[in-house]
Amino acid sequence: MMHPEHPFHVGELEAQRRAGGGPGGHGVREAMPGQHRSFFETLPYAVLAGLNLAGEPVASVVTGPPGFISAPNPLTLTVAAPLDPLAQALTPGASFGLLGIDFATRRRNRANGRVADVAPGGYWLVVDQSFGNCPQYIQQRAVEAVSRTPGPFETFTALDAEAAAQITTADTFFVATAAIGPNGGVDVSHRGGRPGFVKVEGDRLTVPDFRGNRYFNTLGNMLAYPRAAVLFLDFATGDLLCLQGAVEVAWNADAEATGFAGAQRMWSLEVEAGWRRKAAVPLAWTLIAESPVNAATGVWSETVAA
């Protein structure tokens, strides 16, 4: 359980120090306000994360008709969704991170906490932290349900050409991280930019870090526990790609030197494992409008930008 006046753990506080200062205040709550509870209950999808048996962050998209996530009280969420591929990670007592995001309205809320119980039909979650995020870098998309037959889980220890192509054309991904100890736990966050904002060099991904709320939940977790998972969703096909590995933050990365506009720093993930499942998500999204904030950011490849 977090300290209500000091919600940040030592990694987050150190990240804030290295970045030149944290937030002036904070909106991290110990329980969900009514608007967060009702928001989660309207969603047909969310991103859920945990730690697997090897201690590696893992994330996936969970889906269902609106109401498949319910918030019967300010401290409880239930998620009626299949357990794979999170069954190994989300066991009773384990930490979870949940991101509710509505691309149509660019609204997003996060809930982090502990798994109370698991049943064949889903999860019973206890919330320790509840907070919202601003709409920056979120591409506006409309969603519709579609009928799909998911493919098998494909696992790998290195990127192939198909995975690299999905990454280098993506404008959105999600990152799951964790920290152990007071105010720690699992967290999953949205990252967005212009298509091509994630760089692939062999098995190494490099990601620009843009201006945000200065909580530094993700980078603080990376300092405390330098492992992460990144999850890419193909909004047209429903394909999911999850990559796991060691992370490193370059705090003094110079945007001019790197050639990447808008970056305040960089972080990288060295891919060590991952999985892919085609047609995993029975939803399809159509781009409505690009985030106006993204216009001030860059891409690594001029070919992609064109």
Side-chain angles (χ1 to χ4, degrees), residues 162-200:
E162 185 177 357
Q166 182 173 353
I167 295 165
T168 55
T169 57
D171 62 23
T172 299
F173 73 93
F174 308 97
V175 53
T177 54
I180 310 303
N183 294 348
V186 174
D187 180 72
V188 61
S189 179
H190 164 277
R191 289 291 186 273
R194 296 170 64 200
F197 80 110
V198 180
K199 186 176 188 178
V200 178

Side-chain angles (χ1 to χ4, degrees), residues 24-270:
H26 70 83
V28 183
R29 303 175 175 88
E30 291 184 284
M32 295 178 290
Q35 60 176 329
H36 288 201
R37 293 170 62 191
S38 60
F39 173 70
F40 281 121
E41 292 181 340
T42 66
L43 296 174
Y45 58 90
V47 184
L48 190 57
L51 293 174
N52 65 19
L53 293 180
E56 297 292 333
V58 62
S60 188
V61 175
V62 291
T63 65
F68 87 104
I69 299 175
S70 66
N73 61 63
L75 294 175
T76 304
L77 286 166
T78 64
V79 182
L83 303 185
D84 287 333
L86 299 168
Q88 190 189 68
L90 297 182
T91 56
S95 296
F96 78 89
L98 179 69
L99 170 65
I101 184 166
D102 181 352
F103 287 100
T105 62
R106 294 190 173 120
R107 183 179 173 188
R108 52 178 163 164
N109 290 320
R110 281 145 79 175
N112 302 336
R114 296 158 289 116
V115 179
D117 199 8
V118 178
Y123 313 86
W124 187 274
L125 309 174
V126 175
V127 174
D128 291 334
Q129 294 185 338
S130 174
F131 54 105
N133 289 136
C134 69
Q136 290 189 105
Y137 314 111
I138 298 177
Q139 304 285 64
Q140 189 177 23
R141 288 180 159 96
V143 66
E144 63 177 341
V146 295
S147 178
R148 289 195 171 115
T149 301
F153 282 98
E154 306 170 46
T155 60
F156 44 83
T157 57
L159 289 180
D160 58 16
E162 185 177 357
Q166 182 173 353
I167 295 165
T168 55
T169 57
D171 62 23
T172 299
F173 73 93
F174 308 97
V175 53
T177 54
I180 310 303
N183 294 348
V186 174
D187 180 72
V188 61
S189 179
H190 164 277
R191 289 291 186 273
R194 296 170 64 200
F197 80 110
V198 180
K199 186 176 188 178
V200 178
E201 295 176 293
D203 290 324
R204 187 178 184 87
L205 310 185
T206 302
V207 183
D209 191 64
F210 303 134
R211 177 176 58 86
N213 59 15
R214 302 196 70 81
Y215 288 6
F216 292 104
N217 309 109
T218 297
L219 299 192
N221 281 357
M222 290 178 178
L223 280 178
Y225 187 61
R227 311 290 299 179
V230 292
L231 179 71
F232 290 85
L233 165 64
D234 187 310
F235 290 101
T237 65
D239 295 354
L240 286 179
L241 173 69
C242 183
L243 306 170
Q244 300 163 301
V247 288
E248 182 180 7
V249 182
W251 291 95
N252 299 314
D254 182 2
E256 247 182 65
T258 60
F260 204 105
Q264 296 189 328
R265 60 200 64 84
M266 304 285 180
W267 59 269
S268 60
L269 180 139
E270 195 72 30

